[in-house]
Amino acid sequence: MGLKQYFGFISKRISAFLQRSQLFQHRWIGYLIARAIYVTLLLIPLPGFEPNAQRAFAVFGLAAFSWGTTLLPLPVTAIVILFLLPFSGAISAQETYAYFGNRAVFFILGAFILAL
C-alpha cells in the first residue's frame, strides 16, 4: 500500500467518523420533531376522521418520519408502533397483538430460526 493510498484510506475513515458524530450530536432535534409531529396530528382536528383514526394517523406520522430519517433503527420503530397504538387508544391491545398469536406466525418464525 502506497503512501497516497494510505492517506486516502485514513481521510475516508475520518470523514465517516465525523459524519456519524455530527448525526449523533443532533439526534435530539429529530426526537423533538417526531414528538411535535405526533402531538400536532393528535390535536389538529381533521375533517372526516374519527378519533381512533386520527390517533392511528398520528402514530403513522411518527413512524413515517422515523423511518424516513432513520431516527431509530427500523426494528425499534416497528416495536414502538406496536406499543404506541394501544397506548394512544387507536385500537385495543388485544386487537393489536392478536395477529402475533396466529399459528402461521410461529410457523414462519420457527422456519427462520431453523434456517439460521
Side-chain angles (χ1 to χ4, degrees):
M1 178 183 276
L3 193 60
K4 188 174 184 179
Q5 292 173 339
Y6 176 75
F7 283 115
F9 173 76
I10 295 297
S11 68
K12 287 179 186 177
R13 300 296 282 178
I14 290 172
S15 66
F17 173 75
L18 289 176
Q19 287 176 351
R20 278 184 285 170
S21 65
Q22 288 173 354
L23 289 174
F24 183 75
Q25 289 175 356
H26 300 294
R27 189 167 284 233
W28 62 273
I29 294 173
Y31 294 135
L32 290 177
I33 293 171
R35 286 184 185 177
I37 289 171
Y38 179 74
V39 171
T40 302
L41 290 175
L42 276 179
L43 296 179
I44 291 179
L46 299 172
F49 276 79
E50 294 179 9
N52 291 346
Q54 186 167 357
R55 292 180 193 129
F57 187 64
V59 172
F60 171 74
L62 175 86
F65 178 78
S66 181
W67 281 330
T69 60
T70 61
L71 182 64
L72 295 171
L74 298 178
V76 174
T77 304
I79 291 172
V80 167
I81 293 168
L82 284 176
F83 289 114
L84 208 59
L85 281 171
F87 181 73
S88 67
I91 58 176
S92 68
Q94 289 179 346
E95 288 178 304
T96 303
Y97 307 127
Y99 294 108
F100 292 98
N102 193 343
R103 291 182 185 181
V105 172
F106 288 110
F107 174 74
I108 294 170
L109 181 63
F112 283 137
I113 290 171
L114 288 175
L116 292 176

